[in-house]
Amino acid sequence: MNANTQVENSMGANLTALYTIARREMTRILRIWTQTLIPPAITMTLYFMIFGKLIGSRIQDMDGVSYMAFIVPGLVMMSVIQNAYGNISSSFFGAKFGRHIEELLVSPMPNWVILLGYVAGAVLRGLMVGAIVLVIALFFTKLEVPHPIITFVTVILGATIFALAGFINAIYAKKFDDIAIIPTFILTPLTYLGGVFYSVKILPEWAQSMTHLNPVFYIVNAFRYGLLGIHDMPLWQSFSLMGFFIVALGAFSLYLLNRGTGLRS
C-alpha cells in the first residue's frame, strides 16, 4: 500500500468518525427537541413581546431603525451562543460522566476529530435555534438582511467560539453543577452587557470602554451589520477578535484533550 492510499484511507476514516459524532449529536438534539429547541423559542418570543412591543413602543428607534428591529440581531445571537455553549458542555460532560468518552479516546481517531465532532454538533444546535428565533422575529418586524454572507459567517464564528468555551467548561467540570456556573455568572452578564438591547454609543465613555472588553459585543456588532446594515465598531475588529478566540480556544481545547485533563483521572 503506497503513501497516497494510506493518506486517503486515513482521511476517509477521519471523515466517517467526524460524521458519526456530529450525527449522534444531531440525533440527541432532535430526540429531546422539547428541551433543546422549544424553550429558547418561547423565551425569545417573550423578549420580543416585552422589550420589543411594550418597551420598544416608548423608545421608538435606535441608530436609525425601529427598536424592535434593533434588538433582533442581539436576541438571535444570544440564543445561538447560549445554546451552542449549553449543548457541548452538557453533552461532553455527560459522555465523561457515563464513561463512554473512553471509547472515543482509545479509538484510532485523532483527538481533533473528537473535538471537531462535538463542536459541529453544538454549532448545528446554535444554527437551528437561531433560525427558529429569526423566524419568530419576522412576526414582529420586517428584516431585509442586506449582507447575508456576513450574517451567516458571524453566526458560525460566534457559535464556534462559545462551543469551544463550553467544551473547556465540560473538560474541567467534575459534577453537573459545574457546567451551570459559567453560563450563570459569566456568559449571561456578558450577553446582557454586549449591546443586545442598546447601542454602545448612548453609554458614557467609561462604560463604552468596558463594553469594548466584552467579546460578545463584537459578535453582536458584526451580526447586526449583516442583518440591519448598522454597526458600532469596524467589522475588521469584530472578525479579527472572533478569529483570535477560535484559534486560542481551539488550541487550548486540543491541548487539554491531548493531555487527558479531566478525562483519565
Side-chain angles (χ1 to χ4, degrees):
M1 184 180 295
N2 58 43
N4 290 336
T5 303
Q6 290 180 339
V7 171
E8 291 176 1
N9 290 341
S10 177
M11 287 300 297
N14 289 339
L15 289 175
T16 300
L18 175 60
Y19 170 74
T20 301
I21 296 174
R23 184 182 64 180
R24 186 185 64 186
E25 287 296 292
M26 177 61 69
T27 301
R28 170 182 172 272
I29 294 168
L30 296 178
R31 186 176 66 249
I32 54 174
W33 61 274
T34 54
Q35 302 174 42
T36 56
L37 302 179
I38 298 301
I42 295 175
T43 300
M44 291 303 144
T45 300
L46 293 175
Y47 274 117
F48 286 130
M49 293 175 61
I50 296 173
F51 286 93
K53 284 294 184 182
L54 299 181
I55 299 179
S57 61
R58 297 177 178 273
I59 297 178
Q60 297 302 324
D61 62 6
M62 183 82 66
D63 277 0
V65 298
S66 69
Y67 186 71
M68 173 65 81
F70 181 86
I71 66 174
V72 169
L75 291 178
V76 172
M77 188 53 64
M78 181 169 71
S79 64
V80 168
I81 62 180
Q82 287 179 345
N83 282 273
Y85 188 100
N87 187 84
I88 197 169
S89 59
S90 61
S91 179
F92 191 78
F93 180 77
K96 283 177 49 180
F97 185 80
R99 309 299 295 180
H100 59 265
I101 190 61
E102 297 172 359
E103 299 175 3
L104 297 179
L105 295 175
V106 300
S107 69
M109 78 175 76
N111 286 335
W112 66 264
V113 172
I114 299 174
L115 175 62
L116 189 57
Y118 275 97
V119 169
V123 171
L124 286 171
R125 176 174 168 182
L127 286 174
M128 287 191 292
V129 172
I132 291 171
V133 174
L134 194 58
V135 170
I136 293 173
L138 294 177
F139 289 95
F140 294 92
T141 188
K142 183 179 179 181
L143 300 172
E144 296 182 355
V145 191
H147 307 286
I149 295 178
I150 291 178
T151 301
F152 182 73
V153 171
T154 303
V155 171
I156 297 295
L157 295 179
T160 301
I161 290 171
F162 284 92
L164 290 168
F167 185 86
I168 295 172
N169 186 183
I171 285 283
Y172 281 109
K174 296 182 178 179
K175 55 184 183 295
F176 279 102
D177 289 343
D178 291 341
I179 64 176
I181 293 176
I182 301 299
T184 301
F185 295 102
I186 297 180
L187 184 56
T188 298
L190 285 178
T191 303
Y192 280 97
L193 298 175
V196 172
F197 299 103
Y198 55 84
S199 171
V200 69
K201 297 173 184 176
I202 68 174
L203 298 176
E205 188 172 342
W206 67 267
Q208 291 187 33
S209 300
M210 293 295 292
T211 302
H212 291 162
L213 299 176
N214 185 348
V216 175
F217 163 71
Y218 294 91
I219 300 173
V220 172
N221 176 71
F223 190 66
R224 181 169 284 131
Y225 176 78
L227 211 58
L228 302 177
I230 58 176
H231 57 87
D232 292 319
M233 294 290 291
L235 287 183
W236 70 267
Q237 292 186 14
S238 295
F239 283 105
S240 297
L241 193 69
M242 285 188 281
F244 168 77
F245 272 105
I246 288 176
V247 172
L249 293 175
F252 187 56
S253 298
L254 195 57
Y255 168 75
L256 295 176
L257 202 54
N258 290 334
R259 284 195 60 190
T261 302
L263 302 176
R264 297 188 175 98
S265 58

